[in-house]
Amino acid sequence: MTEMILNALMYTSLALLAGLLVIQMVPKGRGIEGTHHPLFLLSVILAVPLLQFGNVIVLGSTYATFFDTSLLDGTLTAMGEHILGTSFLLVLLFSSVQLVLVVLTKKWNLYVVSSLQLLFFIGIIGAVSLSSHSASLTEGYARGALSNGIHLLAMSLWVGPLFIVSLYGTRLEDGQKFHQWFSALAVFSLLLVSTSGFVMMGEIAPEYVNSWMLTYGQLLLIKNILIFPLLLFGFRHLVTLSGKGVSLSAQERQRSFRAESLFVLAVFIVTAWLTETEPPHNVLRTLQNEPFNPVMQFFLNEPLIENQLIAFSPSLWSGLLLGLSVFVFFLGLFVAWRWRRTIYSVGAAILFVATFYLGLMTSTAPGEIPVNLTVHDSVEEAIAVNRETNELDILATWSIDEDSFAVVYQENERHLIAERLKKEPDGYRKYLDAEVEIENGFLTGGEQFMDTFMFIENDWVDVETISTYVTLGYVTEDIEQVRIQFSNGSVEVPVDDHVFFYIQSMNGTLEEPHQYELLDEDGQKVRVIEKRQFVHEGHVH
């Protein structure tokens, strides 16, 4: 709950800061008459690093509990070893520069100061994005942090001015001139929000419909639906401010902006709630640790069997609800265009959210069972599940513990795959999430190729740890051993039929750079291969 409150306040503070900076840059006559209280801007700037430090303390408390240390030691560990610590230090740096600009540049040109503040605001957005869900689930953080940063920046630029107008709406100097620049900014921001949102959904919740079985998926769905009321009010403000819709009094206009701001706050609260739930990168794997969402259970017309997913299968009843939601949305657009009282637009927005959500939930039904966890008579039969039409060639096996082993095999003379199998009295059983694959390794890797895969959650080990590292590689016939140099030390792994395999699990993380020393039968180095980073979440192209 603490993390949720901190993040909701963080998103609100970032939006307010963006709104204040943008309104400051608007020429006179196109924004808010007069100026806001100087302490308002200072308070918002100060709030951002304080809220981010709150997240560091929350993480430090988790470390302190896990490692049985003091809160101070846990916080220092979070500051020094977690990306959240780096994020906080960058936020503190950029916010400090903003404070200096506010306090010491009162005689400077306001447009120049606001432009510099906006530049450092973009830096704050980037720093906050480093510790986002999207960044943590992508290789090397960069792509996920970038998509999250664009998403957060666009949302802040879109809703920030809305917050300011909802606070000072009666002082709006010229609604039509305000509309001329704000509508263009809102449309551009909406396009960025949509594009970056789809990118992040692909990283965080690639199984979108199946994710509805989890609390994270339910919250993500609700967040997506809540965007539609913002579009409805955006249309209302577009037509009323441009003079093409019903004329609103200053008080009603402010009331309308405040209504939209409440929907924005709802989006922020749901988004903050998402940070406290498990991202469903692999739904079936996540369901082993997270409970099935009771809301989804209520709407399913029949219970799911073990490892069964759901499918989108609209019925007559759900089709009617979805059709009604579409009708309500277009009715809401008409109401927003022709009716002065904001309460009617609010009612249409709420009715749309309810009918659309119910229509989607009643459209779900039991779906496929993607993983066959039955006992198989042979190793060949076990690895052939979902690969029945492919040519598989087993290269080697490695014992993991008394009851399980890793089998390494070649698929279609292209891919190198390793997966864990469990020994049963009457055969072999597959694990749900214990597989790594170097795709097209035999085509693009040449005579030798290798990688180490990092997992946060997996079935490679039975004991829950912070991280697991699985190494898989293929080498030439003159290589007898491979010495793998990790940041915590080195290990020598034997080569069997050109392939090698190694697994380690720990309550910590390794530094990304590592190397492979290929050794001949005399233990002499034949070649050293440097790697700058691990492969995250299981497969590499």
Side-chain angles (χ1 to χ4, degrees):
M1 180 62 73
T2 303
E3 186 180 0
M4 170 185 167
I5 294 173
L6 289 171
N7 282 305
L9 291 175
M10 172 66 81
Y11 302 145
T12 304
S13 299
L14 290 173
L16 283 171
L17 183 54
L20 289 169
L21 297 179
V22 170
I23 291 295
Q24 279 185 174
M25 298 178 67
V26 174
K28 185 175 176 58
R30 294 178 176 270
I32 302 297
E33 182 181 0
T35 58
H36 54 76
H37 196 283
L39 289 180
F40 187 18
L41 179 59
L42 288 174
S43 300
V44 174
I45 293 174
L46 281 170
V48 175
L50 289 175
L51 292 168
Q52 192 71 346
F53 185 62
N55 282 320
V56 174
I57 293 178
V58 170
L59 179 62
S61 176
T62 302
Y63 279 161
T65 302
F66 190 86
F67 295 113
D68 194 22
T69 62
S70 66
L71 177 61
L72 177 60
D73 289 339
T75 302
L76 291 176
T77 301
M79 288 283 292
E81 298 184 11
H82 196 276
I83 190 66
L84 183 59
T86 304
S87 172
F88 163 69
L89 293 175
L90 290 173
V91 168
L92 181 62
L93 172 64
F94 294 134
S95 298
S96 299
V97 175
Q98 283 194 320
L99 286 173
V100 170
L101 287 172
V102 171
V103 175
L104 301 181
T105 60
K106 294 181 179 179
K107 296 183 180 180
W108 289 22
N109 180 278
L110 183 60
Y111 182 81
V112 173
V113 174
S114 298
S115 298
L116 290 173
Q117 288 177 332
L118 188 60
L119 179 64
F120 288 107
F121 172 76
I122 295 174
I124 291 174
I125 292 290
V128 170
S129 298
L130 285 176
S131 57
S132 65
H133 270 167
S134 181
S136 65
L137 288 174
T138 54
E139 185 176 340
Y141 283 90
R143 188 172 69 251
L146 179 62
S147 58
N148 187 85
I150 292 173
H151 191 76
L152 190 54
L153 176 63
M155 179 63 80
S156 299
L157 293 177
W158 176 18
V159 305
L162 289 177
F163 282 168
I164 303 305
V165 174
S166 68
L167 293 173
Y168 303 104
T170 56
R171 290 161 49 184
L172 190 62
E173 295 178 289
D174 189 322
Q176 192 162 3
K177 290 182 178 179
F178 174 80
H179 142 75
Q180 289 173 351
W181 67 265
F182 177 69
S183 294
L185 175 63
V187 171
F188 179 70
S189 298
L190 178 60
L191 291 175
L192 288 180
V193 166
S194 302
T195 303
S196 56
F198 280 119
V199 172
M200 289 193 297
M201 279 174 55
E203 297 290 348
I204 299 174
E207 305 171 53
Y208 184 62
V209 173
N210 290 319
S211 71
W212 298 350
M213 295 189 289
L214 297 159
T215 299
Y216 190 100
Q218 285 288 318
L219 292 172
L220 183 60
L221 174 62
I222 292 171
K223 174 187 173 181
N224 292 339
I225 295 175
L226 285 173
I227 296 297
F228 286 92
L230 302 186
L231 298 178
L232 190 151
F233 276 95
F235 173 78
R236 174 177 172 84
H237 298 144
L238 171 68
V239 295
T240 57
L241 292 175
S242 64
K244 297 178 180 179
V246 66
S247 177
L248 301 179
S249 65
Q251 291 76 15
E252 193 64 38
R253 183 175 58 200
Q254 184 178 25
R255 194 174 295 119
S256 183
F257 275 105
R258 286 180 175 176
E260 183 175 9
S261 297
L262 288 176
F263 280 104
V264 171
L265 289 176
V267 172
F268 284 171
I269 291 171
V270 173
T271 304
W273 196 351
L274 285 169
T275 62
E276 288 201 333
T277 57
E278 184 71 22
H281 193 71
N282 183 311
V283 171
L284 288 180
R285 180 69 182 88
T286 307
L287 280 170
Q288 293 185 346
N289 303 308
E290 295 290 320
F292 195 98
N293 187 270
V295 176
M296 187 73 258
Q297 189 72 57
F298 174 79
F299 283 104
L300 284 173
N301 53 18
E302 58 182 282
L304 300 179
I305 62 176
E306 184 181 7
N307 299 307
Q308 187 173 20
L309 298 174
I310 60 175
F312 187 73
S313 180
S315 62
L316 176 61
W317 167 242
S318 62
L320 289 174
L321 280 172
L322 291 173
L324 176 61
S325 69
V326 174
F327 172 77
V328 170
F329 182 75
F330 283 101
L331 177 63
L333 292 177
F334 178 79
V335 170
W337 173 42
R338 300 304 303 170
W339 291 45
R340 286 187 175 85
R341 296 193 62 184
T342 302
I343 189 65
Y344 297 129
S345 295
V346 172
I350 293 175
L351 183 58
F352 166 79
V353 170
T355 54
F356 192 51
Y357 177 78
L358 290 173
L360 292 176
M361 287 298 97
T362 54
S363 296
T364 56
E368 64 174 346
I369 306 175
V371 179
N372 183 356
L373 298 183
T374 58
V375 176
H376 303 276
D377 293 333
S378 65
V379 173
E380 289 80 3
E381 181 182 315
I383 66 174
V385 173
N386 296 327
R387 292 187 170 92
E388 289 80 1
T389 61
N390 298 333
E391 180 184 345
L392 306 179
D393 181 17
I394 297 177
L395 302 178
T397 59
W398 268 268
S399 175
I400 294 179
D401 53 38
E402 292 182 359
D403 299 320
S404 68
F405 62 95
V407 55
V408 180
Y409 56 95
Q410 183 184 38
E411 181 181 24
N412 294 335
E413 299 183 350
R414 297 168 62 96
H415 317 304
L416 183 65
I417 303 170
E419 65 173 289
R420 184 187 183 193
L421 297 180
K422 182 178 179 62
K423 299 176 184 176
E424 299 283 3
D426 52 349
Y428 304 91
R429 185 188 299 272
K430 293 173 71 72
Y431 284 84
L432 183 63
D433 187 18
E435 180 182 303
V436 293
E437 177 177 357
I438 302 179
E439 296 182 11
N440 297 314
F442 291 98
L443 296 181
T444 61
E447 294 183 333
Q448 51 202 17
F449 51 89
M450 58 214 67
D451 266 300
T452 295
F453 303 80
M454 176 184 177
F455 291 90
I456 302 299
E457 292 183 345
N458 62 91
D459 284 328
W460 281 105
V461 293
D462 297 326
V463 179
E464 184 176 351
T465 57
I466 291 178
S467 57
T468 300
Y469 298 85
V470 180
T471 300
L472 176 65
Y474 185 89
V475 293
T476 54
E477 60 182 8
D478 59 331
I479 303 301
E480 292 291 324
Q481 281 188 321
V482 177
R483 182 185 295 128
I484 311 172
Q485 297 279 1
F486 295 113
S487 60
N488 66 339
S490 63
V491 59
E492 293 186 359
V493 181
V495 174
D496 185 0
D497 197 9
H498 299 279
V499 297
F500 62 96
F501 175 87
Y502 178 69
I503 182 172
Q504 62 175 321
S505 189
M506 63 191 69
N507 284 319
T509 57
L510 298 176
E511 295 179 8
E512 295 271 339
H514 58 289
Q515 68 177 25
Y516 307 86
E517 298 176 2
L518 309 187
L519 311 178
D520 61 18
E521 59 183 3
D522 297 323
Q524 300 299 312
K525 294 182 185 177
V526 176
R527 186 179 177 186
V528 176
I529 298 176
E530 304 277 352
K531 292 281 187 175
R532 292 184 297 175
Q533 59 189 29
F534 300 118
V535 179
H536 295 259
E537 298 293 334
H539 73 278
V540 61
H541 299 277

